[in-house]
């Protein structure tokens, strides 16, 4: 994303003018303008799902409210529940006071659940209840808490396959896929490689105080022919 003086993350500033990216940006723009409370972003690792989530939030009516994100695979189930739903004093050994979770802290805004496919069936059941009823209980609590937020979930897993194997709840899958957005791989939009290269060259010139003027035709040909299994993230690192 290029810097913006108005919206921190603009759809027009997402690098890529290929047909697949144009379609995705049009879809994200439409969805951002709706009141949809649940969105699912899918795509391989490195396709920019986190940036897409921020673009949707900052181009919606919720832009002035918090954007909270959590990587689901980084925490065990109990810690994930505590971070998301909060907990009451005494809920567990170290719970010395009440804590509001990300859902409460994001009131009116957006919560981004990255790597949702890595969660356990137990957590998935509690998330489904929240998505259906818009209420939840803090860990160790008995009172329902109601919030108005948008949930954007993301995964690089094949959820339909996980549903068949029982690794992911079918009812939660249907609840999340009301408005799905699939981010294209870099090999599916190879025409964006030159734009991305110039973007990263300009970015790293500024960051490292360099004066790289461009890239040779031979290097561009080699980079464009590479399959980039790590997608945009791999290209950036290269």
């Amino acid at each position: 994303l290029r810097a913006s003086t108005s919206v921190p993350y603009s759809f027009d500033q997402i690098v890529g003018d290929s047909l697949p990216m144009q379609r995705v940006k049009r879809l994200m723009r439409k969805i951002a303008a709706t009141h949809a409370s649940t969105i699912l972003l899918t795509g391989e690792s490195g396709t920019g799902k986190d940036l897409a989530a921020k673009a949707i939030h900052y181009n919606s009516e919720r832009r002035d409210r918090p954007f909270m994100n959590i990587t689901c695979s980084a925490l065990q189930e109990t810690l994930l529940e505590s971070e998301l739903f909060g907990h009451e004093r005494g809920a567990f050994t170290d719970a010395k006071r009440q804590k509001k979770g990300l859902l409460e802290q994001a009131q009116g805004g957006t919560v981004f659940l990255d790597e949702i496919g890595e969660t356990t069936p137990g957590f998935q059941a509690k998330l489904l209840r929240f998505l259906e009823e818009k209420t939840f209980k803090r860990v160790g609590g008995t009172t329902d808490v109601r919030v108005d937020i948008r949930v954007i979930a993301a995964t690089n897993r094949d959820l339909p396959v996980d549903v068949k194997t029982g690794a992911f709840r079918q009812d939660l899958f249907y609840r999340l896929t009301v408005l799905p957005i699939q981010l294209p791989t870099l090999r599916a939009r190879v025409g964006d490689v030159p734009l991305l290269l110039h973007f990263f060259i300009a970015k790293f010139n500024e960051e490292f105080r360099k004066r790289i003027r461009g890239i040779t035709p031979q290097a561009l040909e080699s980079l464009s022919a590479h399959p980039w299994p790590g997608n945009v993230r791999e290209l950036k690192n290269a």
Side-chain angles (χ1 to χ4, degrees):
L1 298 174
R2 299 183 179 88
S4 171
T5 57
S6 53
V7 179
Y9 297 91
S10 169
F11 296 125
D12 293 332
Q13 294 166 335
I14 295 177
V15 179
D17 293 328
S18 62
L19 185 58
M21 281 307 299
Q22 289 180 22
R23 290 172 176 169
V24 167
K25 285 189 280 188
R26 283 198 299 268
L27 179 58
M28 287 194 295
R29 187 178 287 109
K30 288 181 179 179
I31 290 177
T34 70
H35 295 287
S37 59
T38 309
I39 300 167
L40 178 66
L41 301 175
T42 61
E44 293 182 5
S45 178
T47 50
K49 294 183 289 296
D50 55 337
L51 297 181
K54 291 175 182 176
I56 290 172
H57 171 75
Y58 286 106
N59 288 273
S60 72
E61 294 181 351
R62 299 178 183 270
R63 66 177 68 88
D64 295 325
R65 303 302 300 166
F67 177 89
M68 313 293 288
N69 70 82
I70 185 170
T71 302
C72 298
S73 63
L75 299 172
Q76 295 179 346
E77 180 178 350
T78 53
L79 291 176
L80 180 58
E81 288 182 24
S82 178
E83 287 297 313
L84 195 62
F85 301 119
H87 62 251
E88 298 289 355
R89 179 182 178 183
F92 46 86
T93 304
D94 295 327
K96 298 180 180 180
R97 61 180 180 178
Q98 184 192 80
K99 174 188 175 182
K100 291 184 177 180
L102 296 185
L103 296 181
E104 284 185 84
Q105 296 179 48
Q107 175 64 28
T110 301
V111 171
F112 176 47
L113 302 178
D114 198 9
E115 300 185 18
I116 189 69
E118 308 299 327
T119 56
T120 64
F123 175 82
Q124 293 168 22
K126 295 177 181 179
L127 177 61
L128 176 64
R129 176 183 181 271
F130 167 69
L131 295 177
E132 293 287 355
E133 302 178 10
K134 305 304 180 193
T135 62
F136 63 92
K137 290 182 176 66
R138 300 189 190 99
V139 177
T142 57
T143 304
D144 282 339
V145 179
R146 181 174 295 274
V147 293
D148 171 27
I149 64 169
R150 167 178 276 173
V151 173
I152 302 178
T155 183
N156 58 14
R157 296 180 64 92
D158 190 335
L159 289 188
V161 171
D162 287 345
V163 167
K164 291 181 179 179
T165 61
F168 200 83
R169 289 180 63 103
Q170 185 180 58
D171 45 8
L172 178 58
F173 172 71
Y174 289 142
R175 186 64 182 80
L176 290 174
T177 53
V178 175
L179 289 174
I181 302 175
Q182 183 169 2
L183 279 295
T185 62
L186 186 54
R187 59 186 174 275
R189 55 186 185 103
V190 67
D192 288 337
V193 169
L195 284 174
L196 288 163
L197 288 171
H198 289 299
F199 167 71
F200 288 128
I201 287 173
K203 179 179 179 180
F204 291 135
N205 272 344
E206 181 178 357
E207 182 175 349
F208 299 113
R209 299 181 181 180
K210 298 292 184 179
R211 294 182 179 179
I212 306 301
R213 292 176 295 175
I215 186 167
T216 66
Q218 294 86 349
L220 177 59
E221 183 178 357
S222 296
L223 291 169
S224 297
H226 186 68
W228 299 112
N231 295 293
V232 177
R233 183 185 295 122
E234 182 187 359
L235 176 63
K236 177 183 177 181
N237 291 340

